[in-house]
Amino acid sequence: MTVSDDTRTSTVDAVVIGAGFSGLYMLHKLRDRMGLTVRVFEAGSGVGGTWYWNRYPGARSDSDSYVYGFTFDEQLWREWEWSERYPEQHEIRAYLEHVADRFDLNKDITFDTRVTGATFDEADNSWTVTTDKGQTISARYLITAVGALSVSNLPDFPGRDSFQGETYHTGHWPHEGVDFTGKGVGVIGTGASAVQAIPLIAKEASDLTVFQRTANYVIPANNGPVPEEIRQARLGNYAGIRERIQQSYFGFELDLLEKGALESTDEEIYSELMPRWEEGGFGIWLGSYVDMFFDDDANAKVRNFLHDRIREKVKDPETAELLIPKGYPFGVKRNPLDSGYYETFNEPHVHLVDVKSNPIAAVTPTGLRLEDGATFEFDAIVYATGFDAMTGPMNKIDIRGRGGQLLGEKWADGPRTYLGLTSAGFPNLFTITGPQSPSVLSNMPVSIEQHVDLVATIIGEVRDRGAATVEPTKEAEDAWVVHNAELVKPTLFETADTWYMGANIPGKPRVFMPHLSFVGPYRAKCDEIVANDYEGFVFDTGRQGALA
Ligand code: NAP
């Protein structure tokens, strides 16, 4: 069945929301491998998802490029050549456009269209999906491929809209770029987006003030071209790399050390960590001491090493002390990778302001005012203030399951899912890299491929059984929620105010949202569930309705 863009009411087998990594592969899988009719809705004017919107200066992935892509097609993996160790935003977008062209995906994507609601019709066992362009479309299956970090967080400072200069948010950057040459700029936030943008904004701005609430542990990226011999070795090892990242903890070729930091002397710790620091990337986080995630004394040993590195890089001791994270352990927040972040604060026109002890009180027509009355004037304010993560993108859509239940209401005290993929009372609804899946604690494309493959397997099973719906039992979901809570309990993750915990959004329930068994064990668990006759899922033959 073909559905043209201008059809206002139509029927397909599956609707997919979003055309980033997840949506593109889901479309390919369902349409080309399984023969389903699929319509993808995408709010942007092109493919790319997070990489379509996040165009701020310096935006690039923090995963090594050779593992930051699809591996389901060996030829695709081989034919795309990344120019640097970490791919930059425009290159990732070009890659995803290439994927869309290669598999002829665009013809089934409706761009510039946001899905506003989706209601499950119990009489018909179908989803009715509505868009902001007035379309209504029915589908047996609904797959949300909306990303974990796609709803921007714009703090509600008093007077926010009164500012008469330019205002930007890193997550919705103007496509034509921004020229800060000669301007006075204020940046709010010091997360991964800010860490990437600040060195480049500082190169143009005449004056830059960074407003920091919580300092981050920033690790060197050590970006640059990948030496040809390494590139060739990787090209010769497609199957091995694929297998290793799929079975790994985090979706990278990184292994945790067997010996703990607690059992190691300071000298041993230094000689383990220094090569990782110099190598750059996540080795010092996801490829070092496992006990630092559980034991604050172990963590302190790693923290001390990192504090010394910050003091080495930042010339002014007061600024260095302010940039040294305090009050939470290393590794329980996503560590930004930098290219000259700390060194930027050695520039005379770059200033750091602590807004933890003296918060932002208001935005004024000319800049910002802090609680102690200090004022700052700018030509431009950049909000690098992050996202309403994980549940935010789902809750933004009016998704109603059995009995008209709103997903956002069901999740009012935190997400409730089975495998981070499905939710009881919401039949045939699947979420790619949703809350309570490893998702954001992994190299995303690896998790995305696994999720898409699993969703396709479950949908295939619905068809093979001649069923109308599949959904998890309440018991399976309850057990998964408890399991998630138990996994995080012995760790230090809950001790920090992070977006993993929903702590960055006022009023959001404080619940740890990612799943902590990690990529390989999570995959094994999913495989076991499938092998065990889809344990925890109910297939219902129900009334087939119009959508057989
Ligand atoms: P983020 O990590 O949530 O950082 C937001 C920053 O804004 C934090 O420093 C936060 O302070 C600050 N902030 C928020 N509200 C504030 C307020 N009312 N007053 C003062 N400061 C405020 O967001 P992000 O930098 O956009 O990164 C989000 C995630 O996206 C990352 O963790 C990462 O997973 C992903 N990302 C990845 C890359 C990459 O692949 N290289 C790049 C960018 C982003 P607090 O910490 O005190 O809340």
Side-chain angles (χ1 to χ4, degrees), residues 89-104:
Q89 176 269 334
H90 72 265
E91 211 170 309
I92 304 172
R93 246 199 99 212
Y95 167 74
L96 291 172
E97 281 170 354
H98 168 71
V99 171
D101 288 344
R102 196 178 189 283
F103 297 104
D104 197 15

Side-chain angles (χ1 to χ4, degrees), residues 56 60 62 149 189-193 196 213-214 333 384-386 499:
Y56 60 84
R60 66 173 73 243
D62 51 14
L149 296 160
T190 50
S193 303
Q196 291 182 329
R213 191 165 64 180
T214 310
K333 292 178 91 151
T385 44
W499 58 258

Side-chain angles (χ1 to χ4, degrees), residues 181-204:
T181 306
K183 291 184 176 160
V185 182
V187 174
I188 304 172
T190 50
S193 303
V195 164
Q196 291 182 329
I198 282 167
L200 294 174
I201 294 175
K203 280 197 166 71
E204 292 181 355

